[in-house]
Amino acid sequence: MRELFELCGADPELVFSPYCWRVRLALAHKGLDWQSRPTRFTDKELIAFSGQKLVPVLIDEGETVHDSLAIFAYLDQRYPQRPLLGGALAAERARLVERLSFHMVRVPLLKMLIPRVWQVIDPADREYFRSSREKALGMSLEAFADPQGGERLFREGVAPLEMWLRDQPFLEGQASGGCDYLLAGMLFWAWCLGAQPWAEDSALGAWFARILQTYEATHGPVKRAAIHLEENQ
Amino acid sequence: MRELFELCGADPELVFSPYCWRVRLALAHKGLDWQSRPTRFTDKELIAFSGQKLVPVLIDEGETVHDSLAIFAYLDQRYPQRPLLGGALAAERARLVERLSFHMVRVPLLKMLIPRVWQVIDPADREYFRSSREKALGMSLEAFADPQGGERLFREGVAPLEMWLRDQPFLEGQASGGCDYLLAGMLFWAWCLGAQPWAEDSALGAWFARILQTYEATHGPVKRAAIHLEENQ
């Protein structure tokens, strides 16, 4: 059986990592089943077999692959139907789209979502979450987090995507593809943590709803956290 | 003979339109020659045969094509060597990269370059330039132009491209391709107007220098405007 090691909260059914969501969407796109292996931030021994410390990790037919883009490439090679990255030129451009859209949405969402991640993770994960993120950010979580500012930056950042999606239902055209999932994973991060910085009636909101609905039609309802943030958090 | 109608300044050799530069770079990439047809903003009768009012317009083998992306697609179809856009998936992603990178650099450069465009164009073009741009921008040229602010926005906007180009010589990998020219056209706009908002020793600067050098090696020196802007302009 195919196994996907993916980040979870204190509730093992709450999967919120954007990179793990990319892989879920990619597997669903290919029509492949998998068994979820919920993995907490500090469950490093669970994925030690992969030779590194980060999820997602996929075990498929005896192969172990980590990193969302590497998993996309692996899936295309092993299961050529419905390409995610496609040929060399298309794949290179998917990586470039990923880099550009990542820059537009990742930092804004991180500013928004830090207090929510803090609430949903297992208390035993909090020290790891704080120290790893503070090292990467070069400042305290409290100094970096800014839910209102992050939401404003997100709306500014997605403006070109919003315009693009007014002309066609998916980033890739008439059907969803690799670039859609690379970006949608980021929005699932917010969604599963109970946030929604896009307007329901925006083109981006309609695009996300299409991807969510397609996923839920085959895989059941997506678990969202019920979070009550205190004022000024 | 292949003819390219392209925007020029009062000096017909000064070609600075980003969209026309895209086409020059695309033709050079394919190894195709062309005859330049310098066209001022108000030379609308020169391109009336194309059924619309904007350059670039390419006449090739009796075909007339306008719009830089449409010209890329035409060139790929007519001259399949060294694809610019490539197959359907790659082409769709090139358009998406164009949209995202355009958003990052076009408005910042426009804020920077308006006073320079004003200086280089034929005085007879100034009324057209002012009224067409003020209508599109919804404000006066003076209210929109902001060379220092535009330069700061440009540097922020290209940050993800800068990181991308630290890992590989071209946006498309080891060789330049369609996405490189779509973006480089924007930088030629600044370059030909005597501006250079990127640092020489940045990865973006080195990338632009590679594209410029390759072009000049086969097509001779690129004409730049010598502009002296007054303080606070």
mmCIF file of all heavy atoms in Angstrom, chain A residues 84-85 89-90 92-97 99-100 103-104 160-161 163-164 167-168 171-173 178-179, chain B residues 84-85 89-90 92-97 99-100 103-104 160-161 163-164 167-168 171-173 178-179:
data_model
loop_
_atom_site.group_PDB
_atom_site.id
_atom_site.type_symbol
_atom_site.label_atom_id
_atom_site.label_comp_id
_atom_site.label_asym_id
_atom_site.label_seq_id
_atom_site.Cartn_x
_atom_site.Cartn_y
_atom_site.Cartn_z
ATOM 1 N N LEU A 84 1.695 15.863 -14.308
ATOM 2 C CA LEU A 84 1.677 16.990 -13.370
ATOM 3 C C LEU A 84 2.670 18.060 -13.802
ATOM 4 O O LEU A 84 2.342 19.245 -13.839
ATOM 5 C CB LEU A 84 2.044 16.497 -11.972
ATOM 6 C CG LEU A 84 1.029 15.559 -11.316
ATOM 7 C CD1 LEU A 84 1.696 14.748 -10.219
ATOM 8 C CD2 LEU A 84 -0.134 16.367 -10.759
ATOM 9 N N LEU A 85 3.898 17.664 -14.070
ATOM 10 C CA LEU A 85 4.935 18.614 -14.488
ATOM 11 C C LEU A 85 5.107 18.601 -15.994
ATOM 12 O O LEU A 85 5.386 19.635 -16.593
ATOM 13 C CB LEU A 85 6.270 18.293 -13.802
ATOM 14 C CG LEU A 85 6.269 18.431 -12.275
ATOM 15 C CD1 LEU A 85 7.636 18.031 -11.708
ATOM 16 C CD2 LEU A 85 5.912 19.851 -11.840
ATOM 17 N N LEU A 89 10.578 21.287 -20.726
ATOM 18 C CA LEU A 89 10.322 22.731 -20.771
ATOM 19 C C LEU A 89 9.124 23.088 -19.888
ATOM 20 O O LEU A 89 9.166 24.045 -19.100
ATOM 21 C CB LEU A 89 10.062 23.154 -22.222
ATOM 22 C CG LEU A 89 9.871 24.649 -22.484
ATOM 23 C CD1 LEU A 89 11.072 25.460 -22.021
ATOM 24 C CD2 LEU A 89 9.611 24.887 -23.983
ATOM 25 N N ALA A 90 8.053 22.292 -19.981
ATOM 26 C CA ALA A 90 6.862 22.542 -19.163
ATOM 27 C C ALA A 90 7.200 22.397 -17.681
ATOM 28 O O ALA A 90 6.734 23.179 -16.841
ATOM 29 C CB ALA A 90 5.743 21.587 -19.561
ATOM 30 N N GLU A 92 10.153 22.819 -16.198
ATOM 31 C CA GLU A 92 10.980 23.948 -15.773
ATOM 32 C C GLU A 92 10.089 25.165 -15.485
ATOM 33 O O GLU A 92 10.286 25.884 -14.502
ATOM 34 C CB GLU A 92 11.990 24.277 -16.878
ATOM 35 C CG GLU A 92 12.988 25.350 -16.542
ATOM 36 C CD GLU A 92 14.012 24.917 -15.498
ATOM 37 O OE1 GLU A 92 14.113 23.708 -15.225
ATOM 38 O OE2 GLU A 92 14.686 25.805 -14.949
ATOM 39 N N ARG A 93 9.113 25.380 -16.356
ATOM 40 C CA ARG A 93 8.221 26.530 -16.159
ATOM 41 C C ARG A 93 7.295 26.336 -14.969
ATOM 42 O O ARG A 93 6.943 27.306 -14.308
ATOM 43 C CB ARG A 93 7.434 26.803 -17.447
ATOM 44 C CG ARG A 93 8.328 27.376 -18.521
ATOM 45 C CD ARG A 93 7.602 27.575 -19.839
ATOM 46 N NE ARG A 93 8.532 28.093 -20.839
ATOM 47 C CZ ARG A 93 8.290 28.103 -22.148
ATOM 48 N NH1 ARG A 93 7.151 27.629 -22.619
ATOM 49 N NH2 ARG A 93 9.197 28.599 -22.980
ATOM 50 N N ALA A 94 6.901 25.084 -14.695
ATOM 51 C CA ALA A 94 6.090 24.834 -13.493
ATOM 52 C C ALA A 94 6.892 25.223 -12.254
ATOM 53 O O ALA A 94 6.362 25.822 -11.319
ATOM 54 C CB ALA A 94 5.677 23.364 -13.427
ATOM 55 N N ARG A 95 8.183 24.900 -12.261
ATOM 56 C CA ARG A 95 9.030 25.252 -11.110
ATOM 57 C C ARG A 95 9.158 26.766 -10.983
ATOM 58 O O ARG A 95 9.202 27.311 -9.879
ATOM 59 C CB ARG A 95 10.418 24.608 -11.240
ATOM 60 C CG ARG A 95 10.369 23.095 -11.089
ATOM 61 C CD ARG A 95 11.765 22.457 -10.986
ATOM 62 N NE ARG A 95 11.614 21.005 -10.936
ATOM 63 C CZ ARG A 95 11.630 20.205 -12.001
ATOM 64 N NH1 ARG A 95 11.842 20.720 -13.207
ATOM 65 N NH2 ARG A 95 11.434 18.907 -11.875
ATOM 66 N N LEU A 96 9.216 27.443 -12.101
ATOM 67 C CA LEU A 96 9.314 28.911 -12.070
ATOM 68 C C LEU A 96 7.994 29.526 -11.573
ATOM 69 O O LEU A 96 8.006 30.444 -10.738
ATOM 70 C CB LEU A 96 9.679 29.418 -13.469
ATOM 71 C CG LEU A 96 9.893 30.913 -13.658
ATOM 72 C CD1 LEU A 96 10.856 31.503 -12.633
ATOM 73 C CD2 LEU A 96 10.400 31.190 -15.072
ATOM 74 N N VAL A 97 6.872 28.997 -12.048
ATOM 75 C CA VAL A 97 5.569 29.468 -11.540
ATOM 76 C C VAL A 97 5.489 29.223 -10.032
ATOM 77 O O VAL A 97 5.037 30.077 -9.264
ATOM 78 C CB VAL A 97 4.395 28.756 -12.252
ATOM 79 C CG1 VAL A 97 3.070 29.050 -11.554
ATOM 80 C CG2 VAL A 97 4.324 29.175 -13.717
ATOM 81 N N ARG A 99 7.937 29.087 -7.906
ATOM 82 C CA ARG A 99 8.797 30.030 -7.208
ATOM 83 C C ARG A 99 8.147 31.410 -7.118
ATOM 84 O O ARG A 99 8.153 32.053 -6.073
ATOM 85 C CB ARG A 99 10.149 30.133 -7.915
ATOM 86 C CG ARG A 99 11.136 31.086 -7.268
ATOM 87 C CD ARG A 99 11.721 30.561 -5.973
ATOM 88 N NE ARG A 99 12.530 29.395 -6.213
ATOM 89 C CZ ARG A 99 13.876 29.404 -6.226
ATOM 90 N NH1 ARG A 99 14.534 30.510 -5.969
ATOM 91 N NH2 ARG A 99 14.545 28.298 -6.481
ATOM 92 N N LEU A 100 7.557 31.853 -8.225
ATOM 93 C CA LEU A 100 6.966 33.192 -8.249
ATOM 94 C C LEU A 100 5.702 33.262 -7.389
ATOM 95 O O LEU A 100 5.516 34.207 -6.623
ATOM 96 C CB LEU A 100 6.656 33.616 -9.690
ATOM 97 C CG LEU A 100 7.864 33.701 -10.631
ATOM 98 C CD1 LEU A 100 7.416 34.113 -12.026
ATOM 99 C CD2 LEU A 100 8.923 34.661 -10.106
ATOM 100 N N HIS A 103 6.453 33.039 -3.650
ATOM 101 C CA HIS A 103 6.905 34.322 -3.108
ATOM 102 C C HIS A 103 5.717 35.244 -2.821
ATOM 103 O O HIS A 103 5.722 35.985 -1.845
ATOM 104 C CB HIS A 103 7.832 34.976 -4.131
ATOM 105 C CG HIS A 103 8.496 36.217 -3.638
ATOM 106 N ND1 HIS A 103 9.652 36.195 -2.907
ATOM 107 C CD2 HIS A 103 8.151 37.520 -3.752
ATOM 108 C CE1 HIS A 103 10.002 37.439 -2.603
ATOM 109 N NE2 HIS A 103 9.114 38.264 -3.112
ATOM 110 N N MET A 104 4.697 35.168 -3.663
ATOM 111 C CA MET A 104 3.538 36.052 -3.496
ATOM 112 C C MET A 104 2.654 35.664 -2.328
ATOM 113 O O MET A 104 1.955 36.504 -1.777
ATOM 114 C CB MET A 104 2.675 35.993 -4.764
ATOM 115 C CG MET A 104 3.346 36.581 -5.977
ATOM 116 S SD MET A 104 2.468 36.058 -7.463
ATOM 117 C CE MET A 104 3.125 37.247 -8.632
ATOM 118 N N PRO A 160 -2.317 39.347 -9.468
ATOM 119 C CA PRO A 160 -2.160 38.847 -10.850
ATOM 120 C C PRO A 160 -2.791 37.474 -11.062
ATOM 121 O O PRO A 160 -3.248 37.162 -12.161
ATOM 122 C CB PRO A 160 -0.641 38.785 -11.055
ATOM 123 C CG PRO A 160 -0.059 38.761 -9.687
ATOM 124 C CD PRO A 160 -1.014 39.525 -8.798
ATOM 125 N N LEU A 161 -2.826 36.649 -10.016
ATOM 126 C CA LEU A 161 -3.498 35.347 -10.130
ATOM 127 C C LEU A 161 -5.004 35.549 -10.258
ATOM 128 O O LEU A 161 -5.676 34.860 -11.025
ATOM 129 C CB LEU A 161 -3.184 34.484 -8.901
ATOM 130 C CG LEU A 161 -1.712 34.100 -8.748
ATOM 131 C CD1 LEU A 161 -1.430 33.605 -7.342
ATOM 132 C CD2 LEU A 161 -1.336 33.034 -9.775
ATOM 133 N N MET A 163 -6.507 38.086 -11.629
ATOM 134 C CA MET A 163 -6.790 38.523 -13.004
ATOM 135 C C MET A 163 -6.714 37.347 -13.968
ATOM 136 O O MET A 163 -7.543 37.196 -14.865
ATOM 137 C CB MET A 163 -5.842 39.637 -13.412
ATOM 138 C CG MET A 163 -6.173 40.955 -12.728
ATOM 139 S SD MET A 163 -5.222 42.336 -13.411
ATOM 140 C CE MET A 163 -3.568 41.925 -12.839
ATOM 141 N N TRP A 164 -5.706 36.525 -13.791
ATOM 142 C CA TRP A 164 -5.516 35.352 -14.648
ATOM 143 C C TRP A 164 -6.730 34.432 -14.569
ATOM 144 O O TRP A 164 -7.213 33.919 -15.587
ATOM 145 C CB TRP A 164 -4.260 34.626 -14.179
ATOM 146 C CG TRP A 164 -3.846 33.419 -14.957
ATOM 147 C CD1 TRP A 164 -3.971 32.122 -14.577
ATOM 148 C CD2 TRP A 164 -3.200 33.397 -16.236
ATOM 149 N NE1 TRP A 164 -3.444 31.292 -15.523
ATOM 150 C CE2 TRP A 164 -2.964 32.044 -16.555
ATOM 151 C CE3 TRP A 164 -2.793 34.391 -17.135
ATOM 152 C CZ2 TRP A 164 -2.336 31.648 -17.739
ATOM 153 C CZ3 TRP A 164 -2.174 33.985 -18.319
ATOM 154 C CH2 TRP A 164 -1.956 32.633 -18.613
ATOM 155 N N ASP A 167 -10.079 34.832 -16.488
ATOM 156 C CA ASP A 167 -10.159 34.469 -17.907
ATOM 157 C C ASP A 167 -10.290 32.973 -18.144
ATOM 158 O O ASP A 167 -10.566 32.546 -19.269
ATOM 159 C CB ASP A 167 -8.906 34.959 -18.643
ATOM 160 C CG ASP A 167 -8.823 36.474 -18.680
ATOM 161 O OD1 ASP A 167 -9.876 37.123 -18.553
ATOM 162 O OD2 ASP A 167 -7.707 37.008 -18.814
ATOM 163 N N GLN A 168 -10.030 32.162 -17.125
ATOM 164 C CA GLN A 168 -10.053 30.713 -17.331
ATOM 165 C C GLN A 168 -10.216 30.043 -15.973
ATOM 166 O O GLN A 168 -9.810 30.593 -14.956
ATOM 167 C CB GLN A 168 -8.760 30.258 -18.003
ATOM 168 C CG GLN A 168 -7.499 30.726 -17.302
ATOM 169 C CD GLN A 168 -6.265 30.406 -18.131
ATOM 170 O OE1 GLN A 168 -6.227 30.675 -19.316
ATOM 171 N NE2 GLN A 168 -5.278 29.807 -17.501
ATOM 172 N N LEU A 171 -5.392 27.641 -13.342
ATOM 173 C CA LEU A 171 -4.118 28.246 -13.737
ATOM 174 C C LEU A 171 -3.624 27.647 -15.029
ATOM 175 O O LEU A 171 -3.028 28.330 -15.858
ATOM 176 C CB LEU A 171 -3.049 28.043 -12.655
ATOM 177 C CG LEU A 171 -3.249 28.745 -11.315
ATOM 178 C CD1 LEU A 171 -2.042 28.493 -10.423
ATOM 179 C CD2 LEU A 171 -3.460 30.240 -11.509
ATOM 180 N N GLU A 172 -3.873 26.337 -15.213
ATOM 181 C CA GLU A 172 -3.362 25.640 -16.385
ATOM 182 C C GLU A 172 -4.321 25.676 -17.560
ATOM 183 O O GLU A 172 -4.051 25.016 -18.556
ATOM 184 C CB GLU A 172 -3.055 24.189 -16.023
ATOM 185 C CG GLU A 172 -2.121 24.031 -14.846
ATOM 186 C CD GLU A 172 -0.720 23.627 -15.233
ATOM 187 O OE1 GLU A 172 -0.510 22.430 -15.443
ATOM 188 O OE2 GLU A 172 0.127 24.527 -15.300
ATOM 189 N N GLY A 173 -5.432 26.357 -17.445
ATOM 190 C CA GLY A 173 -6.357 26.439 -18.572
ATOM 191 C C GLY A 173 -7.719 25.887 -18.209
ATOM 192 O O GLY A 173 -8.303 26.239 -17.186
ATOM 193 N N GLY A 178 -0.544 20.578 -12.664
ATOM 194 C CA GLY A 178 0.521 20.695 -11.674
ATOM 195 C C GLY A 178 0.610 22.063 -11.017
ATOM 196 O O GLY A 178 0.715 22.160 -9.785
ATOM 197 N N CYS A 179 0.573 23.138 -11.799
ATOM 198 C CA CYS A 179 0.701 24.477 -11.204
ATOM 199 C C CYS A 179 -0.471 24.787 -10.290
ATOM 200 O O CYS A 179 -0.304 25.467 -9.270
ATOM 201 C CB CYS A 179 0.806 25.542 -12.296
ATOM 202 S SG CYS A 179 2.386 25.545 -13.136
ATOM 203 N N LEU B 84 9.914 28.719 -28.778
ATOM 204 C CA LEU B 84 9.815 29.817 -27.813
ATOM 205 C C LEU B 84 8.779 29.494 -26.739
ATOM 206 O O LEU B 84 9.031 29.665 -25.557
ATOM 207 C CB LEU B 84 9.410 31.102 -28.534
ATOM 208 C CG LEU B 84 10.443 31.661 -29.510
ATOM 209 C CD1 LEU B 84 9.783 32.572 -30.525
ATOM 210 C CD2 LEU B 84 11.529 32.411 -28.732
ATOM 211 N N LEU B 85 7.592 29.092 -27.169
ATOM 212 C CA LEU B 85 6.527 28.758 -26.224
ATOM 213 C C LEU B 85 6.428 27.258 -26.013
ATOM 214 O O LEU B 85 6.123 26.808 -24.922
ATOM 215 C CB LEU B 85 5.183 29.313 -26.715
ATOM 216 C CG LEU B 85 5.097 30.841 -26.815
ATOM 217 C CD1 LEU B 85 3.740 31.267 -27.371
ATOM 218 C CD2 LEU B 85 5.337 31.502 -25.454
ATOM 219 N N LEU B 89 1.062 22.674 -22.922
ATOM 220 C CA LEU B 89 1.238 22.862 -21.473
ATOM 221 C C LEU B 89 2.361 23.864 -21.198
ATOM 222 O O LEU B 89 2.222 24.777 -20.378
ATOM 223 C CB LEU B 89 1.538 21.503 -20.820
ATOM 224 C CG LEU B 89 1.667 21.474 -19.302
ATOM 225 C CD1 LEU B 89 0.399 21.984 -18.630
ATOM 226 C CD2 LEU B 89 1.982 20.051 -18.827
ATOM 227 N N ALA B 90 3.480 23.702 -21.911
ATOM 228 C CA ALA B 90 4.611 24.629 -21.739
ATOM 229 C C ALA B 90 4.204 26.050 -22.127
ATOM 230 O O ALA B 90 4.580 27.025 -21.454
ATOM 231 C CB ALA B 90 5.807 24.157 -22.567
ATOM 232 N N GLU B 92 1.152 27.388 -22.086
ATOM 233 C CA GLU B 92 0.233 27.931 -21.075
ATOM 234 C C GLU B 92 1.031 28.447 -19.873
ATOM 235 O O GLU B 92 0.748 29.518 -19.329
ATOM 236 C CB GLU B 92 -0.736 26.826 -20.639
ATOM 237 C CG GLU B 92 -1.810 27.272 -19.682
ATOM 238 C CD GLU B 92 -2.863 28.165 -20.331
ATOM 239 O OE1 GLU B 92 -2.898 28.242 -21.570
ATOM 240 O OE2 GLU B 92 -3.629 28.791 -19.579
ATOM 241 N N ARG B 93 2.035 27.692 -19.478
ATOM 242 C CA ARG B 93 2.855 28.104 -18.327
ATOM 243 C C ARG B 93 3.721 29.313 -18.654
ATOM 244 O O ARG B 93 3.973 30.139 -17.781
ATOM 245 C CB ARG B 93 3.687 26.916 -17.829
ATOM 246 C CG ARG B 93 2.819 25.889 -17.141
ATOM 247 C CD ARG B 93 3.599 24.657 -16.715
ATOM 248 N NE ARG B 93 2.685 23.693 -16.089
ATOM 249 C CZ ARG B 93 2.991 22.419 -15.863
ATOM 250 N NH1 ARG B 93 4.181 21.949 -16.207
ATOM 251 N NH2 ARG B 93 2.102 21.613 -15.294
ATOM 252 N N ALA B 94 4.177 29.417 -19.904
ATOM 253 C CA ALA B 94 4.928 30.619 -20.300
ATOM 254 C C ALA B 94 4.042 31.849 -20.151
ATOM 255 O O ALA B 94 4.482 32.898 -19.674
ATOM 256 C CB ALA B 94 5.431 30.496 -21.733
ATOM 257 N N ARG B 95 2.775 31.728 -20.541
ATOM 258 C CA ARG B 95 1.841 32.857 -20.412
ATOM 259 C C ARG B 95 1.622 33.202 -18.950
ATOM 260 O O ARG B 95 1.485 34.373 -18.585
ATOM 261 C CB ARG B 95 0.512 32.537 -21.104
ATOM 262 C CG ARG B 95 0.648 32.466 -22.617
ATOM 263 C CD ARG B 95 -0.714 32.377 -23.321
ATOM 264 N NE ARG B 95 -0.496 32.213 -24.754
ATOM 265 C CZ ARG B 95 -0.394 31.031 -25.381
ATOM 266 N NH1 ARG B 95 -0.546 29.906 -24.693
ATOM 267 N NH2 ARG B 95 -0.152 30.985 -26.674
ATOM 268 N N LEU B 96 1.594 32.190 -18.105
ATOM 269 C CA LEU B 96 1.403 32.437 -16.675
ATOM 270 C C LEU B 96 2.645 33.108 -16.072
ATOM 271 O O LEU B 96 2.537 34.066 -15.297
ATOM 272 C CB LEU B 96 1.072 31.112 -15.976
ATOM 273 C CG LEU B 96 0.776 31.145 -14.488
ATOM 274 C CD1 LEU B 96 -0.277 32.176 -14.116
ATOM 275 C CD2 LEU B 96 0.313 29.750 -14.030
ATOM 276 N N VAL B 97 3.819 32.631 -16.459
ATOM 277 C CA VAL B 97 5.057 33.281 -16.013
ATOM 278 C C VAL B 97 5.077 34.734 -16.484
ATOM 279 O O VAL B 97 5.434 35.650 -15.737
ATOM 280 C CB VAL B 97 6.304 32.539 -16.544
ATOM 281 C CG1 VAL B 97 7.571 33.355 -16.304
ATOM 282 C CG2 VAL B 97 6.426 31.165 -15.894
ATOM 283 N N ARG B 99 2.544 36.661 -17.075
ATOM 284 C CA ARG B 99 1.588 37.435 -16.294
ATOM 285 C C ARG B 99 2.161 37.772 -14.909
ATOM 286 O O ARG B 99 2.043 38.903 -14.435
ATOM 287 C CB ARG B 99 0.275 36.653 -16.146
ATOM 288 C CG ARG B 99 -0.788 37.378 -15.347
ATOM 289 C CD ARG B 99 -1.407 38.546 -16.106
ATOM 290 N NE ARG B 99 -2.153 38.094 -17.245
ATOM 291 C CZ ARG B 99 -3.485 38.003 -17.296
ATOM 292 N NH1 ARG B 99 -4.215 38.365 -16.254
ATOM 293 N NH2 ARG B 99 -4.090 37.564 -18.384
ATOM 294 N N LEU B 100 2.767 36.783 -14.275
ATOM 295 C CA LEU B 100 3.274 36.999 -12.918
ATOM 296 C C LEU B 100 4.486 37.933 -12.915
ATOM 297 O O LEU B 100 4.577 38.849 -12.095
ATOM 298 C CB LEU B 100 3.627 35.661 -12.263
ATOM 299 C CG LEU B 100 2.454 34.676 -12.107
ATOM 300 C CD1 LEU B 100 2.936 33.390 -11.451
ATOM 301 C CD2 LEU B 100 1.314 35.270 -11.302
ATOM 302 N N HIS B 103 3.545 41.557 -13.752
ATOM 303 C CA HIS B 103 2.990 42.255 -12.598
ATOM 304 C C HIS B 103 4.099 42.761 -11.669
ATOM 305 O O HIS B 103 3.996 43.829 -11.090
ATOM 306 C CB HIS B 103 2.078 41.284 -11.848
ATOM 307 C CG HIS B 103 1.304 41.924 -10.743
ATOM 308 N ND1 HIS B 103 0.117 42.567 -10.937
ATOM 309 C CD2 HIS B 103 1.574 42.036 -9.423
ATOM 310 C CE1 HIS B 103 -0.335 43.038 -9.790
ATOM 311 N NE2 HIS B 103 0.530 42.729 -8.848
ATOM 312 N N MET B 104 5.167 41.977 -11.557
ATOM 313 C CA MET B 104 6.256 42.340 -10.648
ATOM 314 C C MET B 104 7.104 43.490 -11.162
ATOM 315 O O MET B 104 7.705 44.210 -10.375
ATOM 316 C CB MET B 104 7.187 41.136 -10.454
ATOM 317 C CG MET B 104 6.537 39.993 -9.723
ATOM 318 S SD MET B 104 7.528 38.503 -9.975
ATOM 319 C CE MET B 104 6.844 37.475 -8.673
ATOM 320 N N PRO B 160 12.209 37.316 -6.169
ATOM 321 C CA PRO B 160 12.158 35.874 -6.445
ATOM 322 C C PRO B 160 12.880 35.496 -7.735
ATOM 323 O O PRO B 160 13.416 34.391 -7.845
ATOM 324 C CB PRO B 160 10.657 35.567 -6.548
ATOM 325 C CG PRO B 160 10.009 36.881 -6.819
ATOM 326 C CD PRO B 160 10.871 37.928 -6.165
ATOM 327 N N LEU B 161 12.911 36.396 -8.703
ATOM 328 C CA LEU B 161 13.664 36.124 -9.934
ATOM 329 C C LEU B 161 15.161 36.120 -9.630
ATOM 330 O O LEU B 161 15.917 35.303 -10.166
ATOM 331 C CB LEU B 161 13.340 37.186 -10.985
ATOM 332 C CG LEU B 161 11.884 37.186 -11.474
ATOM 333 C CD1 LEU B 161 11.567 38.486 -12.212
ATOM 334 C CD2 LEU B 161 11.627 35.995 -12.383
ATOM 335 N N MET B 163 16.553 35.244 -6.841
ATOM 336 C CA MET B 163 16.898 33.976 -6.182
ATOM 337 C C MET B 163 16.941 32.839 -7.193
ATOM 338 O O MET B 163 17.817 31.993 -7.163
ATOM 339 C CB MET B 163 15.890 33.680 -5.072
ATOM 340 C CG MET B 163 16.091 34.579 -3.859
ATOM 341 S SD MET B 163 15.094 34.052 -2.433
ATOM 342 C CE MET B 163 13.437 34.457 -3.037
ATOM 343 N N TRP B 164 15.967 32.824 -8.090
ATOM 344 C CA TRP B 164 15.897 31.790 -9.128
ATOM 345 C C TRP B 164 17.168 31.797 -9.983
ATOM 346 O O TRP B 164 17.734 30.748 -10.292
ATOM 347 C CB TRP B 164 14.672 32.059 -9.994
ATOM 348 C CG TRP B 164 14.379 31.077 -11.083
ATOM 349 C CD1 TRP B 164 14.592 31.258 -12.417
ATOM 350 C CD2 TRP B 164 13.800 29.780 -10.947
ATOM 351 N NE1 TRP B 164 14.171 30.152 -13.113
ATOM 352 C CE2 TRP B 164 13.682 29.230 -12.238
ATOM 353 C CE3 TRP B 164 13.365 29.027 -9.852
ATOM 354 C CZ2 TRP B 164 13.155 27.957 -12.463
ATOM 355 C CZ3 TRP B 164 12.844 27.762 -10.089
ATOM 356 C CH2 TRP B 164 12.736 27.239 -11.376
ATOM 357 N N ASP B 167 20.574 30.172 -9.097
ATOM 358 C CA ASP B 167 20.752 28.718 -9.232
ATOM 359 C C ASP B 167 20.984 28.265 -10.661
ATOM 360 O O ASP B 167 21.350 27.115 -10.887
ATOM 361 C CB ASP B 167 19.500 27.998 -8.699
ATOM 362 C CG ASP B 167 19.342 28.193 -7.201
ATOM 363 O OD1 ASP B 167 20.347 28.480 -6.532
ATOM 364 O OD2 ASP B 167 18.207 28.074 -6.710
ATOM 365 N N GLN B 168 20.711 29.128 -11.628
ATOM 366 C CA GLN B 168 20.835 28.707 -13.033
ATOM 367 C C GLN B 168 20.968 29.961 -13.898
ATOM 368 O O GLN B 168 20.479 31.026 -13.534
ATOM 369 C CB GLN B 168 19.614 27.893 -13.451
ATOM 370 C CG GLN B 168 18.288 28.573 -13.145
ATOM 371 C CD GLN B 168 17.121 27.635 -13.425
ATOM 372 O OE1 GLN B 168 17.118 26.495 -13.004
ATOM 373 N NE2 GLN B 168 16.153 28.126 -14.170
ATOM 374 N N LEU B 171 16.197 31.907 -16.933
ATOM 375 C CA LEU B 171 14.915 31.526 -16.340
ATOM 376 C C LEU B 171 14.524 30.122 -16.767
ATOM 377 O O LEU B 171 13.917 29.378 -16.003
ATOM 378 C CB LEU B 171 13.806 32.502 -16.770
ATOM 379 C CG LEU B 171 13.900 33.935 -16.260
ATOM 380 C CD1 LEU B 171 12.677 34.731 -16.730
ATOM 381 C CD2 LEU B 171 14.001 33.981 -14.745
ATOM 382 N N GLU B 172 14.865 29.768 -18.002
ATOM 383 C CA GLU B 172 14.455 28.474 -18.533
ATOM 384 C C GLU B 172 15.477 27.369 -18.268
ATOM 385 O O GLU B 172 15.288 26.262 -18.771
ATOM 386 C CB GLU B 172 14.217 28.582 -20.043
ATOM 387 C CG GLU B 172 13.225 29.663 -20.414
ATOM 388 C CD GLU B 172 11.885 29.140 -20.852
ATOM 389 O OE1 GLU B 172 11.774 28.740 -22.016
ATOM 390 O OE2 GLU B 172 10.954 29.151 -20.021
ATOM 391 N N GLY B 173 16.538 27.654 -17.566
ATOM 392 C CA GLY B 173 17.509 26.600 -17.260
ATOM 393 C C GLY B 173 18.886 26.969 -17.785
ATOM 394 O O GLY B 173 19.392 28.056 -17.544
ATOM 395 N N GLY B 178 11.762 31.199 -24.258
ATOM 396 C CA GLY B 178 10.651 32.135 -24.354
ATOM 397 C C GLY B 178 10.437 32.989 -23.113
ATOM 398 O O GLY B 178 10.260 34.215 -23.213
ATOM 399 N N CYS B 179 10.439 32.376 -21.937
ATOM 400 C CA CYS B 179 10.202 33.155 -20.710
ATOM 401 C C CYS B 179 11.295 34.180 -20.489
ATOM 402 O O CYS B 179 11.039 35.283 -19.976
ATOM 403 C CB CYS B 179 10.096 32.243 -19.496
ATOM 404 S SG CYS B 179 8.559 31.312 -19.448
#
